[in-house]
Amino acid sequence: MTTAGPDGDAGTAAATTADDAAATSGGDDASTTSDAATAGADDDDSTVAMSTDEATAVMSVEDAEEVATTILERRHAALQGDGDDVVDDHRKSVMGSARDAFEAADALEAVTGEPAEAEMEAPAEPNVLAISREDGELPQFLFVQTVPEDGVPLLHLMESRTGEQEDFRIIWEAPMLPGTSVPTFDPRSDGTPVLREGRGDLLMAPRDTLKEIAAYTSWPQPEEIPEYRTHGYSPAVRDAAEEQAAAVEGRATLQEKNWLISDDTKTLLFEDGSAFVLGTLLRDTTFTVEPDVVLTPPEAFTTLAGLEQVNEEAVLRTMVFMGVRVPAEGVEFTPEMIAVREQLVEAWGS
């Protein structure tokens, strides 16, 4: 059993292209809802009117850069710290599913080792790519890129549920995939529109896009495969599931199902009207053991579940953070996955 694995006020920040990146392997709050990974129409797919008159960002570029720097410094301290300091720094830098993933990674550190960022003397400098537009709504967002010295570009979505600068936290984070780049947002002083409901002018509702990808990466493989560019990620996930199924053949059966954490879906609009949809999936990898068979689970499973053998069933839950560019009317292209990260977060069995 293994898990699958410089601009002024009127300008826009330029994103770094990921020429050589890879997806890295690593729950939601009680109020979060999860949707099954099945394709279908979003509950509200109506067009939402968004005014662009006197467009203004929710904060200045200077303030946004300061906020992003502070959060990344706290996150870096959490990666390097121990004990209660780690918990405090986690809570001051990440929240929601992102914090669940950080805490799980910390619990598995003895198995998987420290993340590469923990060895850096200081966090990578943030490049604020987008600041959400003032629309009278909450939460507010900052979209940030960092480029570690020895690593691939990382994308970070920061959110403030109150609109106060001190309340910004990372809620989503993932490395860019090979050959991908981030399109241009509106000037940061104008702010980036946030699609808060419906699908606007997009050709598909944001949640439906993520649901289709979720179904695409399930196991057994679906009969119909949607047309998405995932830069090798989706085939790699399915290939890993096939290898695991073959490894336990005759002793257990394998099923993988992905679930969308609906409340985690956020949508930022690019300058051309297309969108960057960011979301989180939960992937449950279930091994159903044949009668009179005992499986020896991997160390990561034992660490999280506290079981050294499995007689009936073993479930490993992986959190998947993904960012996908989706087309809009008049800007048609194949939906493209730009960034993705996986983290094993839970395990249980009997």
Side-chain angles (χ1 to χ4, degrees):
M1 292 166 52
T2 57
T3 54
D7 64 352
D9 285 350
T12 54
T16 300
T17 299
D19 292 323
D20 184 15
T24 57
S25 293
D28 52 341
D29 297 332
S31 61
T32 299
T33 60
S34 298
D35 286 353
T38 55
D42 192 86
D43 293 335
D44 182 6
D45 63 357
S46 59
T47 298
V48 177
M50 291 176 291
S51 173
T52 57
D53 295 339
E54 299 182 358
T56 303
V58 296
M59 68 176 71
S60 68
V61 174
E62 292 77 12
D63 285 348
E65 290 174 340
E66 183 177 351
V67 168
T69 298
T70 298
I71 292 175
L72 291 172
E73 286 175 347
R74 290 172 178 167
R75 173 186 174 276
H76 185 256
L79 290 172
Q80 293 187 314
D82 293 305
D84 293 340
D85 289 341
V86 170
V87 175
D88 189 48
D89 286 327
H90 273 161
R91 291 177 176 174
K92 289 181 178 179
S93 59
V94 293
M95 66 181 180
S97 296
R99 190 164 76 197
D100 292 338
F102 272 114
E103 291 175 348
D106 187 58
L108 290 169
E109 194 171 283
V111 178
T112 60
E114 291 187 344
E117 301 98 302
E119 299 180 4
M120 298 170 55
E121 293 185 2
E125 184 177 350
N127 179 17
V128 177
L129 301 180
I131 305 169
S132 62
R133 182 169 295 178
E134 178 58 74
D135 58 5
E137 301 290 338
L138 295 173
Q140 296 176 356
F141 300 98
L142 298 177
F143 187 56
V144 178
Q145 182 189 61
T146 56
V147 184
E149 292 181 1
D150 298 318
V152 300
L154 287 169
L155 301 177
H156 319 259
L157 183 65
M158 302 177 181
E159 173 187 293
S160 173
R161 294 175 181 173
T162 65
E164 299 297 327
Q165 294 184 16
E166 60 267 25
D167 291 333
F168 272 95
R169 301 287 187 274
I170 296 170
I171 63 166
W172 178 97
E173 185 174 63
M176 295 176 65
L177 287 163
T180 61
S181 61
V182 180
T184 304
F185 291 98
D186 285 334
R188 294 180 295 178
S189 57
D190 291 345
T192 291
V194 177
L195 184 61
R196 298 187 182 274
E197 60 182 54
R199 65 178 176 87
D201 294 329
L202 303 181
L203 298 185
M204 179 180 290
R207 285 190 297 174
D208 287 346
T209 299
L210 297 180
K211 288 179 187 178
E212 283 203 347
I213 295 179
Y216 182 27
T217 55
S218 296
W219 179 264
Q221 296 182 34
E223 293 183 2
E224 295 185 9
I225 298 178
E227 186 179 358
Y228 287 101
R229 295 180 63 198
T230 65
H231 298 276
Y233 171 74
S234 292
V237 171
R238 295 195 305 274
D239 288 348
E242 185 174 11
E243 291 176 5
Q244 292 181 82
V248 298
E249 186 175 6
R251 296 178 295 150
T253 57
L254 170 67
Q255 181 181 42
E256 282 193 337
K257 189 172 185 179
N258 295 283
W259 305 84
L260 174 65
I261 303 178
S262 293
D263 291 353
D264 281 6
T265 304
K266 311 297 180 185
T267 306
L268 307 179
L269 300 185
F270 291 117
E271 186 178 43
D272 64 3
S274 65
F276 194 40
V277 178
L278 306 98
T280 313
L281 304 179
L282 296 177
R283 178 187 303 136
D284 286 350
T285 303
T286 302
F287 293 85
T288 303
V289 183
E290 297 292 340
D292 301 321
V293 173
V294 176
L295 290 182
T296 301
E299 189 176 358
F301 178 90
T302 299
T303 299
L304 294 177
L307 296 174
E308 296 186 356
Q309 66 178 36
V310 176
N311 302 291
E312 298 179 356
E313 182 182 79
V315 183
L316 299 97
R317 172 164 288 180
T318 300
M319 190 170 283
V320 185
F321 299 87
M322 60 175 59
V324 183
R325 185 189 180 198
V326 299
E329 297 176 7
V331 191
E332 297 186 19
F333 53 86
T334 301
E336 178 187 21
M337 184 179 291
I338 293 177
V340 67
R341 176 170 71 100
E342 297 186 358
Q343 174 62 54
L344 179 64
V345 292
E346 290 183 78
W348 63 90
S350 58

PDB file of all heavy atoms in Angstrom, residues 17-52:
ATOM      1  N   THR A  17       7.371  31.704 -15.006  1.00  0.00           N
ATOM      2  CA  THR A  17       6.909  30.481 -15.653  1.00  0.00           C
ATOM      3  C   THR A  17       7.554  29.268 -15.009  1.00  0.00           C
ATOM      4  O   THR A  17       8.727  29.293 -14.647  1.00  0.00           O
ATOM      5  CB  THR A  17       7.281  30.514 -17.146  1.00  0.00           C
ATOM      6  OG1 THR A  17       6.630  31.620 -17.752  1.00  0.00           O
ATOM      7  CG2 THR A  17       6.852  29.242 -17.845  1.00  0.00           C
ATOM      8  N   ALA A  18       6.788  28.205 -14.893  1.00  0.00           N
ATOM      9  CA  ALA A  18       7.323  26.961 -14.352  1.00  0.00           C
ATOM     10  C   ALA A  18       7.865  26.124 -15.502  1.00  0.00           C
ATOM     11  O   ALA A  18       7.129  25.449 -16.203  1.00  0.00           O
ATOM     12  CB  ALA A  18       6.243  26.192 -13.614  1.00  0.00           C
ATOM     13  N   ASP A  19       9.175  26.211 -15.727  1.00  0.00           N
ATOM     14  CA  ASP A  19       9.791  25.437 -16.801  1.00  0.00           C
ATOM     15  C   ASP A  19      10.091  24.019 -16.375  1.00  0.00           C
ATOM     16  O   ASP A  19      10.182  23.115 -17.192  1.00  0.00           O
ATOM     17  CB  ASP A  19      11.094  26.108 -17.259  1.00  0.00           C
ATOM     18  CG  ASP A  19      10.820  27.433 -17.946  1.00  0.00           C
ATOM     19  OD1 ASP A  19       9.811  27.535 -18.661  1.00  0.00           O
ATOM     20  OD2 ASP A  19      11.615  28.361 -17.752  1.00  0.00           O
ATOM     21  N   ASP A  20      10.301  23.832 -15.086  1.00  0.00           N
ATOM     22  CA  ASP A  20      10.639  22.493 -14.616  1.00  0.00           C
ATOM     23  C   ASP A  20      10.042  22.315 -13.240  1.00  0.00           C
ATOM     24  O   ASP A  20      10.708  22.473 -12.230  1.00  0.00           O
ATOM     25  CB  ASP A  20      12.157  22.315 -14.562  1.00  0.00           C
ATOM     26  CG  ASP A  20      12.552  20.904 -14.176  1.00  0.00           C
ATOM     27  OD1 ASP A  20      11.680  20.015 -14.234  1.00  0.00           O
ATOM     28  OD2 ASP A  20      13.723  20.694 -13.821  1.00  0.00           O
ATOM     29  N   ALA A  21       8.751  22.028 -13.195  1.00  0.00           N
ATOM     30  CA  ALA A  21       8.059  21.863 -11.925  1.00  0.00           C
ATOM     31  C   ALA A  21       7.412  20.513 -11.874  1.00  0.00           C
ATOM     32  O   ALA A  21       7.234  19.859 -12.879  1.00  0.00           O
ATOM     33  CB  ALA A  21       6.993  22.964 -11.762  1.00  0.00           C
ATOM     34  N   ALA A  22       7.069  20.080 -10.664  1.00  0.00           N
ATOM     35  CA  ALA A  22       6.389  18.794 -10.512  1.00  0.00           C
ATOM     36  C   ALA A  22       5.383  18.906  -9.404  1.00  0.00           C
ATOM     37  O   ALA A  22       5.549  19.672  -8.465  1.00  0.00           O
ATOM     38  CB  ALA A  22       7.395  17.690 -10.192  1.00  0.00           C
ATOM     39  N   ALA A  23       4.302  18.131  -9.487  1.00  0.00           N
ATOM     40  CA  ALA A  23       3.332  18.067  -8.396  1.00  0.00           C
ATOM     41  C   ALA A  23       3.987  17.378  -7.227  1.00  0.00           C
ATOM     42  O   ALA A  23       4.666  16.381  -7.381  1.00  0.00           O
ATOM     43  CB  ALA A  23       2.099  17.283  -8.840  1.00  0.00           C
ATOM     44  N   THR A  24       3.803  17.926  -6.018  1.00  0.00           N
ATOM     45  CA  THR A  24       4.410  17.331  -4.838  1.00  0.00           C
ATOM     46  C   THR A  24       3.360  16.668  -3.986  1.00  0.00           C
ATOM     47  O   THR A  24       2.241  17.138  -3.865  1.00  0.00           O
ATOM     48  CB  THR A  24       5.119  18.414  -4.002  1.00  0.00           C
ATOM     49  OG1 THR A  24       4.170  19.413  -3.673  1.00  0.00           O
ATOM     50  CG2 THR A  24       6.256  19.031  -4.768  1.00  0.00           C
ATOM     51  N   SER A  25       3.740  15.550  -3.374  1.00  0.00           N
ATOM     52  CA  SER A  25       2.819  14.865  -2.484  1.00  0.00           C
ATOM     53  C   SER A  25       2.804  15.556  -1.124  1.00  0.00           C
ATOM     54  O   SER A  25       3.819  15.978  -0.631  1.00  0.00           O
ATOM     55  CB  SER A  25       3.248  13.411  -2.315  1.00  0.00           C
ATOM     56  OG  SER A  25       3.104  12.725  -3.527  1.00  0.00           O
ATOM     57  N   GLY A  26       1.860  15.672  -0.712  1.00  0.00           N
ATOM     58  CA  GLY A  26       1.954  16.047   0.628  1.00  0.00           C
ATOM     59  C   GLY A  26       2.767  14.815   1.076  1.00  0.00           C
ATOM     60  O   GLY A  26       3.532  14.332   0.307  1.00  0.00           O
ATOM     61  N   GLY A  27      -8.827  17.973   6.562  1.00  0.00           N
ATOM     62  CA  GLY A  27     -10.213  18.025   6.312  1.00  0.00           C
ATOM     63  C   GLY A  27     -10.692  19.414   6.360  1.00  0.00           C
ATOM     64  O   GLY A  27     -10.051  20.438   6.449  1.00  0.00           O
ATOM     65  N   ASP A  28     -11.374  19.500   6.191  1.00  0.00           N
ATOM     66  CA  ASP A  28     -12.008  20.785   6.192  1.00  0.00           C
ATOM     67  C   ASP A  28     -12.662  21.036   7.536  1.00  0.00           C
ATOM     68  O   ASP A  28     -12.806  20.161   8.349  1.00  0.00           O
ATOM     69  CB  ASP A  28     -13.058  20.884   5.072  1.00  0.00           C
ATOM     70  CG  ASP A  28     -14.011  19.719   5.124  1.00  0.00           C
ATOM     71  OD1 ASP A  28     -13.664  18.701   5.737  1.00  0.00           O
ATOM     72  OD2 ASP A  28     -15.103  19.836   4.577  1.00  0.00           O
ATOM     73  N   ASP A  29     -13.015  22.335   7.771  1.00  0.00           N
ATOM     74  CA  ASP A  29     -13.696  22.673   9.016  1.00  0.00           C
ATOM     75  C   ASP A  29     -15.065  21.999   9.051  1.00  0.00           C
ATOM     76  O   ASP A  29     -15.618  21.601   8.044  1.00  0.00           O
ATOM     77  CB  ASP A  29     -13.878  24.187   9.127  1.00  0.00           C
ATOM     78  CG  ASP A  29     -12.534  24.895   9.183  1.00  0.00           C
ATOM     79  OD1 ASP A  29     -11.580  24.268   9.667  1.00  0.00           O
ATOM     80  OD2 ASP A  29     -12.461  26.056   8.760  1.00  0.00           O
ATOM     81  N   ALA A  30     -15.637  21.930  10.230  1.00  0.00           N
ATOM     82  CA  ALA A  30     -16.910  21.231  10.385  1.00  0.00           C
ATOM     83  C   ALA A  30     -18.008  21.871   9.544  1.00  0.00           C
ATOM     84  O   ALA A  30     -18.950  21.207   9.130  1.00  0.00           O
ATOM     85  CB  ALA A  30     -17.324  21.211  11.850  1.00  0.00           C
ATOM     86  N   SER A  31     -17.875  23.160   9.270  1.00  0.00           N
ATOM     87  CA  SER A  31     -18.919  23.842   8.512  1.00  0.00           C
ATOM     88  C   SER A  31     -18.768  23.676   7.013  1.00  0.00           C
ATOM     89  O   SER A  31     -19.610  24.110   6.249  1.00  0.00           O
ATOM     90  CB  SER A  31     -18.905  25.340   8.849  1.00  0.00           C
ATOM     91  OG  SER A  31     -17.660  25.909   8.507  1.00  0.00           O
ATOM     92  N   THR A  32     -17.682  23.061   6.571  1.00  0.00           N
ATOM     93  CA  THR A  32     -17.418  22.911   5.149  1.00  0.00           C
ATOM     94  C   THR A  32     -18.251  21.792   4.566  1.00  0.00           C
ATOM     95  O   THR A  32     -18.409  20.747   5.165  1.00  0.00           O
ATOM     96  CB  THR A  32     -15.922  22.617   4.919  1.00  0.00           C
ATOM     97  OG1 THR A  32     -15.168  23.714   5.419  1.00  0.00           O
ATOM     98  CG2 THR A  32     -15.618  22.425   3.448  1.00  0.00           C
ATOM     99  N   THR A  33     -18.768  22.000   3.369  1.00  0.00           N
ATOM    100  CA  THR A  33     -19.517  20.949   2.699  1.00  0.00           C
ATOM    101  C   THR A  33     -18.660  20.316   1.633  1.00  0.00           C
ATOM    102  O   THR A  33     -17.763  20.936   1.096  1.00  0.00           O
ATOM    103  CB  THR A  33     -20.783  21.521   2.043  1.00  0.00           C
ATOM    104  OG1 THR A  33     -20.403  22.522   1.085  1.00  0.00           O
ATOM    105  CG2 THR A  33     -21.690  22.131   3.078  1.00  0.00           C
ATOM    106  N   SER A  34     -18.921  19.051   1.332  1.00  0.00           N
ATOM    107  CA  SER A  34     -18.189  18.340   0.301  1.00  0.00           C
ATOM    108  C   SER A  34     -19.164  17.844  -0.748  1.00  0.00           C
ATOM    109  O   SER A  34     -20.259  17.394  -0.433  1.00  0.00           O
ATOM    110  CB  SER A  34     -17.434  17.149   0.898  1.00  0.00           C
ATOM    111  OG  SER A  34     -16.489  17.585   1.834  1.00  0.00           O
ATOM    112  N   ASP A  35     -18.746  17.946  -2.022  1.00  0.00           N
ATOM    113  CA  ASP A  35     -19.560  17.466  -3.126  1.00  0.00           C
ATOM    114  C   ASP A  35     -18.917  16.244  -3.725  1.00  0.00           C
ATOM    115  O   ASP A  35     -17.697  16.187  -3.873  1.00  0.00           O
ATOM    116  CB  ASP A  35     -19.662  18.539  -4.225  1.00  0.00           C
ATOM    117  CG  ASP A  35     -20.579  19.679  -3.806  1.00  0.00           C
ATOM    118  OD1 ASP A  35     -21.216  19.552  -2.750  1.00  0.00           O
ATOM    119  OD2 ASP A  35     -20.634  20.668  -4.537  1.00  0.00           O
ATOM    120  N   ALA A  36     -19.710  15.260  -4.104  1.00  0.00           N
ATOM    121  CA  ALA A  36     -19.173  14.090  -4.789  1.00  0.00           C
ATOM    122  C   ALA A  36     -18.617  14.519  -6.128  1.00  0.00           C
ATOM    123  O   ALA A  36     -19.108  15.447  -6.762  1.00  0.00           O
ATOM    124  CB  ALA A  36     -20.261  13.045  -4.986  1.00  0.00           C
ATOM    125  N   ALA A  37     -17.577  13.817  -6.575  1.00  0.00           N
ATOM    126  CA  ALA A  37     -16.916  14.176  -7.818  1.00  0.00           C
ATOM    127  C   ALA A  37     -17.688  13.623  -9.006  1.00  0.00           C
ATOM    128  O   ALA A  37     -17.277  12.682  -9.653  1.00  0.00           O
ATOM    129  CB  ALA A  37     -15.507  13.636  -7.818  1.00  0.00           C
ATOM    130  N   THR A  38     -18.835  14.229  -9.284  1.00  0.00           N
ATOM    131  CA  THR A  38     -19.620  13.841 -10.434  1.00  0.00           C
ATOM    132  C   THR A  38     -19.919  15.073 -11.242  1.00  0.00           C
ATOM    133  O   THR A  38     -20.208  16.137 -10.702  1.00  0.00           O
ATOM    134  CB  THR A  38     -20.954  13.190 -10.010  1.00  0.00           C
ATOM    135  OG1 THR A  38     -21.651  14.088  -9.143  1.00  0.00           O
ATOM    136  CG2 THR A  38     -20.696  11.881  -9.286  1.00  0.00           C
ATOM    137  N   ALA A  39     -19.810  14.946 -12.556  1.00  0.00           N
ATOM    138  CA  ALA A  39     -20.050  16.089 -13.418  1.00  0.00           C
ATOM    139  C   ALA A  39     -21.536  16.426 -13.428  1.00  0.00           C
ATOM    140  O   ALA A  39     -22.389  15.560 -13.375  1.00  0.00           O
ATOM    141  CB  ALA A  39     -19.581  15.776 -14.839  1.00  0.00           C
ATOM    142  N   GLY A  40     -21.821  17.719 -13.513  1.00  0.00           N
ATOM    143  CA  GLY A  40     -23.224  18.131 -13.566  1.00  0.00           C
ATOM    144  C   GLY A  40     -23.313  19.626 -13.486  1.00  0.00           C
ATOM    145  O   GLY A  40     -22.338  20.292 -13.167  1.00  0.00           O
ATOM    146  N   ALA A  41     -24.454  20.169 -13.726  1.00  0.00           N
ATOM    147  CA  ALA A  41     -24.618  21.611 -13.727  1.00  0.00           C
ATOM    148  C   ALA A  41     -24.519  22.152 -12.322  1.00  0.00           C
ATOM    149  O   ALA A  41     -24.999  21.551 -11.375  1.00  0.00           O
ATOM    150  CB  ALA A  41     -25.970  21.981 -14.335  1.00  0.00           C
ATOM    151  N   ASP A  42     -23.882  23.307 -12.183  1.00  0.00           N
ATOM    152  CA  ASP A  42     -23.816  23.975 -10.895  1.00  0.00           C
ATOM    153  C   ASP A  42     -25.202  24.445 -10.523  1.00  0.00           C
ATOM    154  O   ASP A  42     -26.047  24.711 -11.372  1.00  0.00           O
ATOM    155  CB  ASP A  42     -22.848  25.158 -10.995  1.00  0.00           C
ATOM    156  CG  ASP A  42     -22.503  25.706  -9.638  1.00  0.00           C
ATOM    157  OD1 ASP A  42     -21.569  25.197  -9.009  1.00  0.00           O
ATOM    158  OD2 ASP A  42     -23.169  26.652  -9.216  1.00  0.00           O
ATOM    159  N   ASP A  43     -25.435  24.552  -9.212  1.00  0.00           N
ATOM    160  CA  ASP A  43     -26.764  24.943  -8.760  1.00  0.00           C
ATOM    161  C   ASP A  43     -27.165  26.320  -9.277  1.00  0.00           C
ATOM    162  O   ASP A  43     -28.332  26.614  -9.501  1.00  0.00           O
ATOM    163  CB  ASP A  43     -26.813  24.945  -7.228  1.00  0.00           C
ATOM    164  CG  ASP A  43     -26.680  23.538  -6.675  1.00  0.00           C
ATOM    165  OD1 ASP A  43     -27.022  22.580  -7.399  1.00  0.00           O
ATOM    166  OD2 ASP A  43     -26.245  23.418  -5.522  1.00  0.00           O
ATOM    167  N   ASP A  44     -26.163  27.198  -9.464  1.00  0.00           N
ATOM    168  CA  ASP A  44     -26.457  28.548  -9.935  1.00  0.00           C
ATOM    169  C   ASP A  44     -25.482  28.883 -11.040  1.00  0.00           C
ATOM    170  O   ASP A  44     -24.340  29.215 -10.785  1.00  0.00           O
ATOM    171  CB  ASP A  44     -26.320  29.551  -8.781  1.00  0.00           C
ATOM    172  CG  ASP A  44     -26.657  30.969  -9.220  1.00  0.00           C
ATOM    173  OD1 ASP A  44     -27.088  31.141 -10.371  1.00  0.00           O
ATOM    174  OD2 ASP A  44     -26.486  31.891  -8.405  1.00  0.00           O
ATOM    175  N   ASP A  45     -25.910  28.753 -12.287  1.00  0.00           N
ATOM    176  CA  ASP A  45     -25.000  28.999 -13.399  1.00  0.00           C
ATOM    177  C   ASP A  45     -25.356  30.273 -14.153  1.00  0.00           C
ATOM    178  O   ASP A  45     -24.974  30.464 -15.288  1.00  0.00           O
ATOM    179  CB  ASP A  45     -24.979  27.799 -14.361  1.00  0.00           C
ATOM    180  CG  ASP A  45     -26.339  27.553 -15.004  1.00  0.00           C
ATOM    181  OD1 ASP A  45     -27.294  28.272 -14.658  1.00  0.00           O
ATOM    182  OD2 ASP A  45     -26.418  26.653 -15.855  1.00  0.00           O
ATOM    183  N   SER A  46     -26.098  31.148 -13.506  1.00  0.00           N
ATOM    184  CA  SER A  46     -26.507  32.379 -14.153  1.00  0.00           C
ATOM    185  C   SER A  46     -25.339  33.347 -14.215  1.00  0.00           C
ATOM    186  O   SER A  46     -24.396  33.277 -13.442  1.00  0.00           O
ATOM    187  CB  SER A  46     -27.669  33.017 -13.390  1.00  0.00           C
ATOM    188  OG  SER A  46     -27.285  33.283 -12.062  1.00  0.00           O
ATOM    189  N   THR A  47     -25.418  34.266 -15.163  1.00  0.00           N
ATOM    190  CA  THR A  47     -24.379  35.276 -15.302  1.00  0.00           C
ATOM    191  C   THR A  47     -24.521  36.320 -14.204  1.00  0.00           C
ATOM    192  O   THR A  47     -25.619  36.780 -13.912  1.00  0.00           O
ATOM    193  CB  THR A  47     -24.484  35.956 -16.685  1.00  0.00           C
ATOM    194  OG1 THR A  47     -24.278  34.977 -17.693  1.00  0.00           O
ATOM    195  CG2 THR A  47     -23.456  37.061 -16.820  1.00  0.00           C
ATOM    196  N   VAL A  48     -23.409  36.695 -13.609  1.00  0.00           N
ATOM    197  CA  VAL A  48     -23.410  37.676 -12.536  1.00  0.00           C
ATOM    198  C   VAL A  48     -22.815  38.967 -13.066  1.00  0.00           C
ATOM    199  O   VAL A  48     -21.696  38.980 -13.575  1.00  0.00           O
ATOM    200  CB  VAL A  48     -22.590  37.174 -11.328  1.00  0.00           C
ATOM    201  CG1 VAL A  48     -22.552  38.248 -10.243  1.00  0.00           C
ATOM    202  CG2 VAL A  48     -23.173  35.885 -10.793  1.00  0.00           C
ATOM    203  N   ALA A  49     -23.553  40.054 -12.980  1.00  0.00           N
ATOM    204  CA  ALA A  49     -23.070  41.340 -13.467  1.00  0.00           C
ATOM    205  C   ALA A  49     -22.030  41.891 -12.510  1.00  0.00           C
ATOM    206  O   ALA A  49     -22.221  41.883 -11.301  1.00  0.00           O
ATOM    207  CB  ALA A  49     -24.237  42.314 -13.604  1.00  0.00           C
ATOM    208  N   MET A  50     -20.915  42.349 -13.065  1.00  0.00           N
ATOM    209  CA  MET A  50     -19.849  42.915 -12.232  1.00  0.00           C
ATOM    210  C   MET A  50     -19.462  44.273 -12.813  1.00  0.00           C
ATOM    211  O   MET A  50     -19.070  44.365 -13.977  1.00  0.00           O
ATOM    212  CB  MET A  50     -18.634  41.978 -12.205  1.00  0.00           C
ATOM    213  CG  MET A  50     -18.879  40.691 -11.452  1.00  0.00           C
ATOM    214  SD  MET A  50     -17.469  39.568 -11.550  1.00  0.00           S
ATOM    215  CE  MET A  50     -17.529  39.108 -13.273  1.00  0.00           C
ATOM    216  N   SER A  51     -19.555  45.296 -12.016  1.00  0.00           N
ATOM    217  CA  SER A  51     -19.219  46.640 -12.475  1.00  0.00           C
ATOM    218  C   SER A  51     -17.709  46.840 -12.460  1.00  0.00           C
ATOM    219  O   SER A  51     -17.023  46.393 -11.545  1.00  0.00           O
ATOM    220  CB  SER A  51     -19.883  47.685 -11.570  1.00  0.00           C
ATOM    221  OG  SER A  51     -19.423  48.974 -11.905  1.00  0.00           O
ATOM    222  N   THR A  52     -17.211  47.502 -13.495  1.00  0.00           N
ATOM    223  CA  THR A  52     -15.783  47.832 -13.532  1.00  0.00           C
ATOM    224  C   THR A  52     -15.568  49.337 -13.412  1.00  0.00           C
ATOM    225  O   THR A  52     -14.472  49.833 -13.651  1.00  0.00           O
ATOM    226  CB  THR A  52     -15.145  47.328 -14.837  1.00  0.00           C
ATOM    227  OG1 THR A  52     -15.847  47.908 -15.956  1.00  0.00           O
ATOM    228  CG2 THR A  52     -15.216  45.814 -14.929  1.00  0.00           C
TER     229      THR A  52
END
